[in-house]
């Protein structure tokens, strides 16, 4: 009977960690995607994108250590490089680099969503 209780507790812990990781990843990805969209709109309107890019960098610096626990390290590193590329790029490459960043963040969000496919 003790083994069943331990097994049940372990299953509850694993489910809890899985749900928590999915929620954390989804929250950060949604926030970053929103800021990328706002920066693209500001860029198209001829306004400064520095405020949005600063916010993206701040959020990413806070999220990165936590995301390393839950996700693939390679994906996290690619997103970090893309953020740097958007920040360092010139006006000609801004939309291209931001589109690539959106794609990488969207892919991370989709790949880490809870589904039957993600369990197998």
């Amino acid at each position: 009977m003790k083994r069943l209780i331990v097994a049940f507790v372990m299953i509850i812990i694993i489910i809890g960690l899985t749900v928590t990781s999915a929620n954390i990843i989804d929250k950060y990805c949604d926030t970053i995607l929103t800021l990328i969209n706002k920066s693209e709109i500001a860029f198209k309107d001829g306004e400064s994108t520095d405020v949005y890019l600063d916010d993206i960098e701040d959020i990413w610096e806070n999220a990165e250590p936590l995301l390393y626990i839950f996700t693939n390290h390679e994906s996290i590193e690619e997103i970090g490089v893309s953020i740097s590329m958007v920040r360092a790029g010139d006006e000609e490459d801004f939309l291209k680099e931001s589109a690539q960043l959106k794609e990488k963040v969207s892919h991370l969000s989709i790949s880490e969503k809870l589904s039957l496919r993600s369990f197998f």
Side-chain angles (χ1 to χ4, degrees):
M1 185 69 173
K2 289 181 184 179
R3 289 182 187 168
L4 287 175
I5 293 172
V6 171
F8 184 70
V9 169
M10 289 180 71
I11 289 172
I12 297 297
I13 290 171
I14 290 170
I15 291 171
L17 287 173
T18 303
V19 170
T20 301
S21 71
N23 287 337
I24 288 171
I25 292 166
D26 193 45
K27 180 186 90 165
Y28 282 122
C29 288
D30 285 346
T31 304
I32 291 173
L33 287 172
T34 301
L35 288 170
I36 294 169
N37 288 331
K38 287 181 180 180
S39 70
E40 287 178 344
I41 291 169
F43 179 80
K44 289 176 184 176
D45 291 342
E47 299 172 4
S48 175
T49 60
D50 290 339
V51 174
Y52 301 113
L53 296 177
D54 288 341
D55 288 345
I56 290 170
E57 282 184 339
D58 290 341
I59 290 169
W60 187 251
E61 286 177 9
N62 292 331
E64 192 173 17
L66 190 58
L67 293 177
Y68 268 120
I69 295 170
F70 297 122
T71 61
N72 182 357
H73 295 271
E74 187 175 318
S75 298
I76 301 302
E77 290 171 5
E78 287 177 4
I79 292 172
V81 169
S82 286
I83 290 172
S84 299
M85 296 292 282
V86 169
R87 187 77 166 146
D90 56 1
E91 291 183 9
E92 294 176 9
D93 293 334
F94 179 81
L95 292 176
K96 179 182 128 188
E97 296 293 340
S98 66
Q100 289 177 351
L101 176 59
K102 276 192 335 189
E103 181 182 327
K104 290 175 184 175
V105 173
S106 295
H107 176 71
L108 177 66
S109 178
I110 291 168
S111 68
E112 298 297 326
K113 287 212 185 283
L114 290 177
S115 67
L116 288 177
R117 180 179 238 176
S118 66
F119 286 110
F120 300 111

